[in-house]
Amino acid sequence: MATYAVIETPASGTNNPPPALSQRGRAGLDILGSIQKCASSDLRERARANFEADPVGRELTQTHRADLTAEEMRDRLAPAKAAAQKDPIYRLERFCQRYVAEENFVRGVRAIEENREAVLNFLEATPAGEATIQFNPEVPLPDYYDGVEFHLEPGGWDGYDLYGSVLGMAIGPRVFVHGGYAAVGVGDNIAQQRVDAIAQLPKDRYERVFEPGCGSFATLAAVAARFPEAEVVGCDLSLQALKGARALAARRNLKAVIKQADALETGEPDASFDAVVTYALHHELPIEANRKLFAEMLRILKPGGDIVMTDPPPLRAVSPFHGVILDWDTEHREEPFFTEACLANWDEELRAAGFEAVESYGLGKDGYPWITRARKPA
Ligand SMILES: C[S@@+](CC[C@H](N)C(=O)[O-])C[C@H]1O[C@@H](n2cnc3c(N)ncnc32)[C@H](O)[C@@H]1O
């Protein structure tokens, strides 16, 4: 699920605003934002009402329970999808979602490309600050990652050299800013959601905090704001994400270390962090990879260290109609592991990995952001 930070001005210590998009570029993206907002508010609510008025949809809604097993949830998904599909309003809403998801990149890349020189100058003029970045182009890409066009991003995470700018300067501030895609509710503020997620870390002080799959660094920036004395360390596989992370860390003048590394095999020493945070990561990985990730996070945490994970909610925690909406991303927004992740029980997985004091809950409407937090035994 794409949850990108918006590039803001000015860069710390400079008067270096990002280049303005052309009028055509702005207008083309703004209309996508409007389509998405209309689809996920008015049309979505009408589709929800129609689903709940349909005999099958009503029966599924009335018999839904938060303790349904993954098998039961899976069995109930097919009739729920069929009931939703009967409704032309639902189909129109989904058409809008797919259209916007694809067109985001067509228009976003064009808007940045026509400003290429200015964007490159802006990126170059960003001061290095105290952020350290460790590139490692030799790091092997896991099979589940290599060549997959997550979110319909042509060529995958690194398919275009200015994807960071496409997301941070074009799609982020003009389309994603409205919410209303994947698990993000319409009108949700994705920057505030990160702040709210970080507030779930239970202690008042942390010395070293790690984020696997840190992407553009927006979540670690929220960690640094909440715990200014902490050293923040993140890893990601994507070169474009790392470049964006460095720019954001530099603009905020953060003391940060960003590494091009596999979250499943970080290379960090045993017991070297007192907290791990994750944001919008687990649904991008198959279950087996998540299990390896949990083992790795347990290894690098100090005894008594905390983990706070934020991801889309489990299907059992949302209405059957919203379950259909979440499941849709798997096939239609190139999110191969989305349904599998929403059927997983992260509480049980964390306990099986060796964590204790596991608990989970939703912070907002329709269970998003969904928090799972736990502790490494002391
Ligand atoms: C949806 S983004 C979320 C980024 C970030 N956590 C945030 O808050 O914006 C998921 C990120 O996970 C990264 N990722 C996926 N598998 C990974 C792995 N095995 N190791 C490191 N990063 C990984 C992707 O490259 C991508 O940048």
Side-chain angles (χ1 to χ4, degrees):
M1 191 173 64
T3 54
Y4 296 95
V6 172
I7 290 184
E8 75 296 277
T9 50
S12 95
T14 73
N15 290 316
N16 180 28
L21 305 184
S22 70
Q23 190 278 332
R24 183 181 170 188
R26 294 196 306 273
L29 288 155
D30 285 346
I31 192 74
L32 295 181
S34 301
I35 294 170
Q36 183 154 287
K37 189 171 168 188
C38 170
S40 53
S41 50
D42 185 43
L43 292 182
R44 177 99 51 95
E45 286 318 308
R46 287 166 64 185
R48 188 192 299 266
N50 291 346
F51 178 89
E52 288 170 5
D54 174 86
V56 175
R58 187 170 54 233
E59 161 76 10
L60 289 165
T61 305
Q62 286 172 350
T63 55
H64 183 76
R65 299 186 331 266
D67 63 351
L68 288 167
T69 64
E71 286 67 36
E72 288 169 324
M73 281 308 316
R74 203 185 287 279
D75 289 347
R76 294 164 68 93
L77 204 46
K81 279 158 75 169
Q85 277 289 350
K86 280 191 266 171
D87 175 19
I89 301 291
Y90 169 82
R91 297 201 299 274
L92 177 59
E93 198 272 340
R94 290 292 104 184
F95 165 79
C96 293
Q97 289 284 335
R98 171 75 191 207
Y99 178 74
V100 171
E102 272 196 44
E103 208 50 29
N104 271 337
F105 293 104
V106 176
R107 299 182 190 198
V109 169
R110 192 173 58 207
I112 293 298
E113 199 53 33
E114 64 185 5
N115 264 325
R116 187 173 187 88
E117 275 310 303
V119 170
L120 288 174
N121 288 340
F122 166 73
L123 295 176
E124 235 165 64
T126 302
E130 287 195 67
T132 313
I133 190 147
Q134 298 173 8
F135 290 110
N136 177 11
E138 302 306 314
V139 65
L141 298 179
D143 287 348
Y144 74 80
Y145 184 101
D146 200 10
V148 179
E149 296 189 326
F150 288 98
H151 313 140
L152 303 172
E153 206 165 326
W157 295 111
D158 284 341
Y160 169 62
D161 69 332
L162 293 178
Y163 266 152
S165 303
V166 170
L167 292 157
M169 296 181 198
I171 304 174
R174 299 198 170 267
V175 185
F176 290 155
V177 71
H178 299 294
Y181 56 94
V184 182
V186 67
D188 283 0
N189 176 336
I190 59 177
Q192 185 58 41
Q193 286 178 329
R194 284 186 170 81
V195 171
D196 296 344
I198 293 311
Q200 309 309 309
L201 277 166
K203 300 190 184 102
D204 291 334
R205 273 185 73 83
Y206 290 96
E207 283 172 17
R208 300 193 80 225
V209 181
F210 186 80
E211 186 189 0
C214 65
S216 65
F217 213 71
T219 301
L220 280 178
V223 172
R226 168 82 178 81
F227 304 104
E229 71 291 348
E231 182 190 355
V232 291
V233 183
C235 82
D236 206 289
L237 289 166
S238 155
L239 185 60
Q240 298 314 316
L242 294 166
K243 288 202 283 188
R246 175 173 57 182
L248 181 60
R251 276 197 307 283
R252 303 259 180 102
N253 216 8
L254 299 176
K255 206 168 56 181
V257 184
I258 307 150
K259 303 181 180 188
Q260 189 169 18
D262 187 349
L264 279 43
E265 238 173 295
T266 58
E268 300 295 334
D270 291 356
S272 51
F273 290 92
D274 43 16
V276 165
V277 296
T278 72
Y279 202 97
L281 175 65
H282 306 283
H283 68 280
E284 310 280 10
L285 277 59
I287 295 294
E288 274 313 315
N290 270 296
R291 289 184 179 139
K292 277 193 191 162
L293 175 71
F294 298 148
E296 178 68 353
M297 295 305 107
L298 189 78
R299 183 186 71 74
I300 67 171
L301 271 172
K302 296 175 191 168
D306 299 307
I307 182 167
V308 170
M309 303 166 23
T310 306
D311 222 36
L315 294 189
R316 63 179 190 283
V318 300
S319 71
F321 175 75
H322 197 64
V324 172
I325 297 291
L326 296 177
D327 168 74
W328 182 91
D329 270 46
T330 306
E331 289 206 3
H332 303 287
R333 215 192 307 262
E334 195 79 34
E335 287 276 29
F337 314 112
F338 208 98
T339 300
E340 173 175 339
C342 291
L343 286 169
N345 188 323
W346 298 136
D347 299 39
E348 285 173 11
E349 296 289 348
L350 286 178
R351 280 190 205 102
F355 286 93
E356 63 179 22
V358 184
E359 57 179 339
S360 56
Y361 44 92
L363 291 181
K365 186 172 182 283
D366 288 321
Y368 188 77
W370 185 261
I371 303 292
T372 309
R373 64 179 187 175
R375 190 175 60 216
K376 177 170 174 171

